[in-house]
């Protein structure tokens, strides 16, 4: 089983070194590239103002965030959810840089860069010279992003999980049919995958006799040998 976390943050600005802070963090769990249904989502009081230009991007204002937990309060839950698994983000160095500063404030070790998976870097390798924003990749892969009217961390990770699946090959290795040598699968009325029971078609003696009679009316039929056995 391969577990990873798709993560996104929203912030008060672009540079944590000048005092910008995280105000929203979301992550969803994927197992073998498939979302498991487990998610983490917190809106955070950044303990500072939210510039108007940032509000235009994600919609959060200072007043909306007053009274929300501060980053130090949500950090234990976030660390527990992330565990020791890879963390996937679009333009991941941006999110990791902000998390580094937040972790430093809390006196907690940073997430190792060895765990970072950057889907922007993956997309640039696959589509050099083309637009590779999250919206551009959704359009390229036919992923519906019409509900994305502003940046929202939880919606963004849900879209990114679909993009990540496509970037990694577009198939779900959890099925592993070829490797496991199992019978073909069929979808039942309830939508669940079930093993299909083979149902070979065996002609009756009467059907074979009629078929032989039909072939007898033809001149040198090439498939006459198929009526034997």
């Amino acid at each position: 089983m391969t577990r990873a976390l798709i993560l996104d943050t929203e912030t008060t600005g672009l540079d944590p070194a000048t005092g910008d802070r995280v105000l929203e963090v979301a992550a969803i769990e994927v197992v073998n590239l498939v979302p498991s249904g487990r998610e983490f989502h917190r809106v955070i009081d950044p303990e500072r103002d939210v510039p108007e230009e940032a509000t235009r991007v994600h919609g959060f204002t200072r007043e909306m965030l007053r009274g929300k937990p501060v980053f130090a309060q949500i950090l234990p839950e976030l660390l527990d959810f992330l565990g020791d698994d890879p963390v996937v983000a679009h333009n991941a160095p941006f999110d990791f840089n902000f998390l580094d500063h937040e972790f430093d404030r809390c006196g907690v070790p940073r997430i190792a860069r060895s765990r970072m998976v950057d889907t922007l870097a993956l997309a640039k390798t696959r589509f050099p010279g083309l637009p590779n924003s999250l919206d551009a990749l959704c359009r390229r892969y036919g992923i519906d992003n019409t509900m994305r009217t502003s940046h929202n961390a939880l919606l963004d990770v849900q879209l990114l999980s679909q993009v990540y699946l496509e970037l990694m090959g577009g198939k779900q290795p959890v099925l592993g049919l070829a490797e496991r040598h199992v019978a073909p699968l069929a979808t039942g009325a309830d939508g669940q995958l079930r093993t299909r029971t083979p149902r070979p078609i065996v002609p009756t003696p009467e059907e074979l006799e009629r078929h032989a009679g039909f072939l007898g009316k033809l001149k040198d039929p090439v498939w006459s040998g198929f009526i034997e056995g």
Side-chain angles (χ1 to χ4, degrees), residues 150-208:
S150 64
H151 286 247
N152 172 285
L154 185 57
L155 174 60
D156 284 358
V157 293
Q158 291 168 345
L159 293 172
L160 185 57
S161 69
Q162 299 177 64
V163 168
Y164 181 54
L165 172 63
E166 296 293 342
L167 288 172
M168 297 303 288
K171 55 185 178 181
Q172 301 172 0
V174 68
L175 296 179
L177 299 182
E179 292 79 6
R180 290 189 295 174
H181 303 289
V182 298
L185 298 183
T187 303
D190 58 359
Q192 299 298 312
L193 289 176
R194 289 178 169 76
T195 301
R196 179 184 290 123
T197 302
R199 296 178 180 176
I201 299 175
V202 179
T204 65
E206 291 79 12
E207 290 171 332
L208 290 173

Side-chain angles (χ1 to χ4, degrees), residues 64-115:
M64 293 169 62
L65 301 171
R66 292 188 191 277
K68 300 295 183 183
V70 298
F71 192 89
Q73 291 174 302
I74 67 99
L75 182 54
E77 292 179 89
L78 176 62
L79 290 173
D80 182 63
F81 188 78
L82 297 180
D84 297 318
D85 299 295
V87 178
V88 182
H90 201 65
N91 191 18
F94 176 89
D95 299 282
F96 270 63
N97 191 25
F98 267 92
L99 291 177
D100 285 348
H101 281 75
E102 297 290 353
F103 281 33
D104 289 349
R105 286 189 179 91
C106 298
V108 172
R110 299 177 175 186
I111 300 173
R113 282 298 195 274
S114 59
R115 294 173 57 191

Side-chain angles (χ1 to χ4, degrees), residues 9-14 20-24 50 54 58 94 98:
T9 62
E10 297 298 338
T11 65
T12 64
L14 301 177
D20 284 318
R21 301 286 304 273
V22 173
L23 54 77
E24 183 185 24
V50 180
H58 47 58
F94 176 89
F98 267 92

Side-chain angles (χ1 to χ4, degrees), residues 26-156:
I28 62 175
E29 178 186 68
V30 294
V31 177
N32 292 336
L33 302 182
V34 182
S36 69
R38 293 188 64 214
E39 64 182 39
F40 177 93
H41 180 224
R42 298 291 183 274
V43 177
I44 300 159
D45 183 345
E47 303 178 275
R48 55 151 292 168
D49 66 301
V50 180
E52 185 177 339
E53 57 268 26
T55 298
R56 284 197 295 268
V57 172
H58 47 58
F60 289 108
T61 65
R62 181 71 187 100
E63 291 305 314
M64 293 169 62
L65 301 171
R66 292 188 191 277
K68 300 295 183 183
V70 298
F71 192 89
Q73 291 174 302
I74 67 99
L75 182 54
E77 292 179 89
L78 176 62
L79 290 173
D80 182 63
F81 188 78
L82 297 180
D84 297 318
D85 299 295
V87 178
V88 182
H90 201 65
N91 191 18
F94 176 89
D95 299 282
F96 270 63
N97 191 25
F98 267 92
L99 291 177
D100 285 348
H101 281 75
E102 297 290 353
F103 281 33
D104 289 349
R105 286 189 179 91
C106 298
V108 172
R110 299 177 175 186
I111 300 173
R113 282 298 195 274
S114 59
R115 294 173 57 191
M116 183 177 77
V117 179
D118 184 7
T119 51
L120 179 57
L122 293 175
K124 286 181 176 179
T125 299
R126 178 163 295 190
F127 306 109
L130 294 178
N132 286 303
S133 67
L134 181 57
D135 284 333
L137 290 169
C138 285
R139 289 191 295 270
R140 192 168 301 144
Y141 286 124
I143 297 168
D144 183 9
N145 67 335
T146 53
M147 72 294 290
R148 191 175 187 249
T149 56
S150 64
H151 286 247
N152 172 285
L154 185 57
L155 174 60
D156 284 358

